[in-house]
Amino acid sequence: MRKPIIAGNWKMNNTVSQTSALLNQLIPLVKDAACEVVVCVPFTSLFEAVRLTKGTNIAVGAQNVAWAEKGAFTGEISADMLIETGAKYAVIGHSERRQYFGETDESVNKRLNTAVGKGLKAIVCVGETLAEREGGITEKVVKAQIENGFKGVSAADLQSVILAYEPVWAIGTGKTATPQDAQNTVSYIRGVFTSLYGTQNANALRIQYGGSMNAANADELMAQPDIDGGLIGGASLNAADFARVVMYKNLRG
C-alpha cells in the first residue's frame, strides 16, 4: 500500500516570524493525520520550520535544490546546505520554475540526480499548459518530461521520489481537473513509469495531484485509485484549510 503524502508548497510567502505563527497553528491540527505531511517553505524559513516541527509528524522541504555541490552558482542552494538545515524534501521542476526561471527537463534531471544522490527526497513536478491540454497532447508532454527528467535515475533512486502531476492551467487559477480527468492522467503517468521501471516499481511510486487541490475537492481527488496525495499551493498558507486537506475523508472504502 502506498502511504498518502500531502505537501504544502508555500512558494514565496511567509517570513520567518510568519512561518512560526502558521506552523504553531498547524501542528495541533494535523497531529493525528493518516498521511505523511510536508511543508516546503522558503529557504530563509528552513531552520525555523525544522526547529518548530521537531518531534511532530510534519517534515520540512525546500522549493528547489542545485545540481552542483558548491561553486560559482549565485542564488542557488546546494543539497548539503539543505540537509544541514534538517530539510528532508526538495521540490524539483515546479511549473513556475519552468515558466519564470528557465527550468528545463535537462536541468530538472540534473537537480533530481543530485538530490537523490545526496539522500534528499525529491518531489518532481510534471504537467501540461492549457494550450497543450486543448491541443490534445497532455500525454505526449508528460511522457517527455518524465523520460527526459528521469535519465540516470535508478529503480533504487525511485524510492526517494514523489511525482507531482500539476496541470499548469490549474495552478493558482482556482481551476482544477475533474477527479476523473486527474485520475486518467495520473494513471497514464504510472503507466509511463511501468514502461521505464517495471510494474512493481511503478506501483510503489507515490503520485500527487498538484492542481489547486483544496478543502472543497480533496476528498474526491484523494478517492481516486492512483492519486496518492497532493502538492498544495494557496490552501497551504492557511492552517485550517491545509489541515482540512491533510485530514481528508477517506472515500476509497
Side-chain angles (χ1 to χ4, degrees):
M1 292 290 291
R2 299 183 298 268
K3 185 172 184 178
I5 177 168
I6 304 289
N9 175 22
W10 290 8
K11 307 186 180 184
M12 197 177 70
N13 293 290
N14 292 331
T15 63
V16 175
S17 61
Q18 291 168 335
T19 293
S20 299
L22 178 51
L23 286 176
N24 282 325
Q25 293 174 3
L26 180 66
I27 288 167
L29 298 179
V30 300
K31 63 183 178 62
D32 297 320
C35 63
E36 287 187 32
V37 185
V38 182
V39 290
C40 297
V41 306
F43 293 130
T44 52
S45 292
L46 285 171
F47 275 111
E48 178 69 357
V50 170
R51 183 186 72 82
L52 287 173
T53 56
K54 186 176 181 179
T56 75
N57 62 326
I58 300 175
V60 175
Q63 297 171 22
N64 199 4
V65 58
W67 60 74
E69 286 197 23
K70 60 183 179 179
F73 300 97
T74 300
E76 289 290 311
I77 306 290
S78 73
D80 288 338
M81 293 173 181
L82 297 180
I83 290 166
E84 192 166 295
T85 71
K88 303 297 185 185
Y89 290 81
V91 178
I92 299 175
H94 192 279
S95 63
E96 290 160 2
R97 299 297 311 175
R98 296 175 189 259
Q99 181 178 358
Y100 300 125
F101 302 104
E103 199 80 73
T104 64
D105 293 344
E106 290 69 30
S107 61
V108 166
N109 178 245
K110 291 166 67 176
R111 295 182 195 276
L112 172 56
N113 275 286
T114 297
V116 297
K118 286 288 188 176
L120 285 170
K121 296 180 180 179
I123 299 174
V124 182
C125 303
V126 301
E128 81 282 12
T129 65
L130 181 60
E132 289 164 344
R133 183 175 182 82
E134 291 179 341
I137 59 171
T138 291
E139 293 183 354
K140 179 181 178 181
V141 169
V142 297
K143 182 181 181 185
Q145 289 174 339
I146 293 166
E147 289 179 341
N148 294 323
F150 279 77
K151 288 179 179 177
V153 177
S154 69
D157 293 335
L158 201 64
Q159 297 175 26
S160 299
V161 174
I162 294 92
L163 198 288
Y165 166 56
E166 44 159 32
V168 178
W169 50 270
I171 298 171
T173 64
K175 298 179 180 179
T176 185
T178 67
Q180 190 58 58
D181 283 343
Q183 162 60 25
N184 289 345
T185 303
V186 171
S187 177
Y188 172 78
I189 288 170
R190 198 176 298 284
V192 174
F193 278 95
T194 297
S195 68
L196 295 175
Y197 294 97
T199 301
Q200 183 175 351
N201 291 313
N203 285 344
L205 177 67
R206 291 183 291 178
I207 305 178
Q208 299 173 316
Y209 174 74
S212 295
M213 183 185 285
N214 54 48
N217 60 30
D219 297 346
E220 285 189 291
L221 286 165
M222 290 299 296
Q224 304 306 310
D226 281 295
I227 295 178
D228 306 310
L231 182 58
I232 316 301
S236 69
L237 299 175
N238 176 283
D241 289 347
F242 186 56
R244 174 62 183 84
V245 177
V246 169
M247 307 298 287
Y248 67 91
K249 295 177 183 176
N250 187 349
L251 304 178
R252 293 190 184 187

